[in-house]
Amino acid sequence: MTSRPPVPPRSSEGLRLGFLYAALFSVIGVQMPFWPLWLKDRGMQPVEIGILLGAIYWAKVVTNPLIAQFVDSRGHRRMVMIALASASMLLYALYPFAYSFPALLCLGVLAGSLLAGLMPLTETITMTLTTQGRLDYGRTRLWGSLSFIALSALAGQAVDHWAASGILWLILLGVAATVVTVVRAPDPPLISRSGPKLPFRALFRNRRYLLFLGTAAITQASHCVYYGFATLYWQSQGLDGGTIGLLWSIGVVAEIALFAFSGRIVQKVGADKLVLFGAVTGIVRWAALAFITSPLGLAPFQTLHAATFGATHLGAMHTIARDVDPRLQVRAQALYSSVAMGLIPGIALLAAGPAYQAFGGLAFLGAMVLSILASLCGYAFVRSPR
């Protein structure tokens, strides 16, 4: 892929995508750190929380490939995105009336899968414009990270002052903002090459793509104890909501720094080595979180989120754009989202709930083992020929 200098999102397209990322991550910034507290407030136990969180991941496995197949064959990404955002807003509005585990599970699957379907489509649009030299992926995507910081901090204050019930209302505001911003999202023509359409199974014949997918999926799955139970664990160790929100924000600040210089970093390091680096760094990060609970001790290891998530995701986006036939790129993004952000983390969350219930913070050692496996897979990925 031809290298281009980083371009800040000053264009209308970049600004509109920046607002869309900000809206999407305003939901994630509340839901990821604090949704377990809301579920606990509804009477859910750790194993049930793990299942409910995992359901959001599992749903992507079915919906994202179907959405991608429709978009690859029909186009009209923005119309699909408007429909997904609007339907998810209606479903999230039903949460105040859901109290039982089955009701929460049904809403989690439906609302979570529809909202999650927006992300691979947004990423595809951004990478399309990036490869055309019209914007820089990292500098556009970082607006989502900034939004994550702001909303996780706000949610932490909401927990301290208004209890867990305020979490849902912040999520509803974020989903409503997503509906507004998606209407104005750019929709460049899908990249195409001459020749026949390729079937979905063509992706599974690409050994290098499969090694990449395995590395990214296991690395993302290693975050599941952190995503699902770090807030509950830190709260049990005496940390207040504001401090917990700050700890989450530290990781995202480091991620923003990575994205701000992403163009140069990808050129110098390479997309495949970034994916491997994210896996290896997880070994250190999760080993530390298993034993450290003081805010000052946790802070430096929280900066490693820039590697475990940020470098992995950045490398993934550029790997797909560089290594995958453009006729398959929407489906490649959807498969990455379904497997690396859906199926494998969903399975890991099934184990994370019982592990946390049995071992508390030592459950992070299981995450460390996953990072070791991801590192071995990542080494094979870096060594594989294109």
Side-chain angles (χ1 to χ4, degrees):
M1 190 175 79
T2 303
S3 299
R4 293 182 176 89
V7 180
R10 294 174 182 167
S11 67
S12 172
E13 292 168 329
L15 288 173
R16 284 182 283 157
L17 279 170
F19 284 130
L20 176 54
Y21 276 116
L24 283 169
F25 278 86
S26 70
V27 179
I28 298 171
V30 178
Q31 195 166 36
M32 189 174 287
F34 295 106
W35 194 238
L37 293 183
W38 189 88
L39 293 173
K40 181 182 177 183
D41 191 58
R42 283 283 160 118
M44 300 297 107
Q45 300 302 310
V47 172
E48 293 173 317
I49 291 172
I51 294 171
L52 291 169
L53 296 175
I56 300 173
Y57 289 85
W58 306 328
K60 302 178 189 179
V61 178
V62 176
T63 55
N64 280 5
L66 290 176
I67 293 167
Q69 183 71 33
F70 179 85
V71 171
D72 261 344
S73 61
R74 304 286 183 87
H76 308 298
R77 280 175 295 196
R78 185 165 56 202
M79 293 303 298
V80 173
M81 293 167 73
I82 292 171
L84 291 172
S86 301
S88 65
M89 183 175 68
L90 293 175
L91 289 165
Y92 270 103
L94 297 177
Y95 264 108
F97 310 102
Y99 288 89
S100 67
F101 175 78
L104 291 169
L105 182 61
C106 288
L107 282 178
V109 169
L110 294 173
S113 63
L114 293 177
L115 191 66
L118 290 169
M119 190 60 74
L121 296 177
T122 304
E123 300 279 37
T124 304
I125 291 171
T126 308
M127 286 307 301
T128 297
L129 296 174
T130 297
T131 56
Q132 294 173 0
R134 290 155 67 178
L135 52 81
D136 177 83
Y137 173 80
R139 295 189 181 185
T140 304
R141 170 62 171 72
L142 66 78
W143 292 101
S145 301
L146 287 169
S147 176
F148 185 103
I149 290 175
L151 268 296
S152 61
L154 181 59
Q157 295 300 319
V159 168
D160 287 341
H161 292 91
W162 303 310
S165 59
I167 294 169
L168 177 60
W169 302 111
L170 289 175
I171 290 174
L172 285 169
L173 287 173
V175 177
T178 301
V179 174
V180 173
T181 55
V182 81
V183 171
R184 295 289 299 156
D187 190 11
L190 292 170
I191 301 174
S192 62
R193 285 180 184 165
S194 58
K197 290 184 179 294
L198 291 175
F200 213 139
R201 63 180 178 272
L203 284 172
F204 297 95
R205 298 171 183 160
N206 185 335
R207 180 176 180 272
R208 182 174 172 80
Y209 178 81
L210 293 177
L211 285 170
F212 146 72
L213 189 62
T215 306
I218 300 171
T219 300
Q220 297 297 353
S222 75
H223 290 72
C224 285
V225 174
Y226 173 65
Y227 290 157
F229 300 99
T231 296
L232 293 174
Y233 177 57
W234 291 337
Q235 190 181 56
S236 73
Q237 299 300 303
L239 277 65
D240 59 40
T243 301
I244 292 170
L246 180 61
L247 285 170
W248 280 83
S249 297
I250 289 171
V252 186
V253 168
E255 179 187 309
I256 289 170
L258 173 74
F259 285 143
F261 299 98
S262 62
R264 295 176 184 175
I265 291 171
V266 172
Q267 289 176 30
K268 290 184 177 181
V269 178
D272 49 1
K273 291 180 182 177
L274 281 174
V275 175
L276 174 60
F277 180 63
V280 173
T281 308
I283 300 171
V284 177
R285 185 184 184 192
W286 307 132
L289 264 62
F291 299 103
I292 298 172
T293 57
S294 69
L296 288 178
L298 287 167
F301 292 101
Q302 282 297 87
T303 65
L304 298 182
H305 191 73
T308 59
F309 175 80
T312 302
H313 185 69
L314 182 63
M317 294 299 99
H318 284 272
T319 295
I320 292 171
R322 181 191 64 192
D323 290 358
V324 176
D325 190 303
R327 291 171 290 176
L328 286 166
Q329 284 192 2
V330 173
R331 282 170 284 177
Q333 285 279 5
L335 187 61
Y336 166 74
S337 180
S338 297
V339 175
M341 303 291 204
L343 176 64
I344 304 304
I347 293 172
L349 272 166
L350 275 179
Y356 174 73
Q357 191 168 25
F359 303 110
L362 293 179
F364 282 109
L365 294 179
M368 181 191 72
V369 172
L370 289 178
S371 292
I372 294 172
L373 294 175
S375 299
L376 295 174
C377 191
Y379 178 76
F381 165 55
V382 169
R383 298 280 294 176
S384 66
R386 291 183 190 167

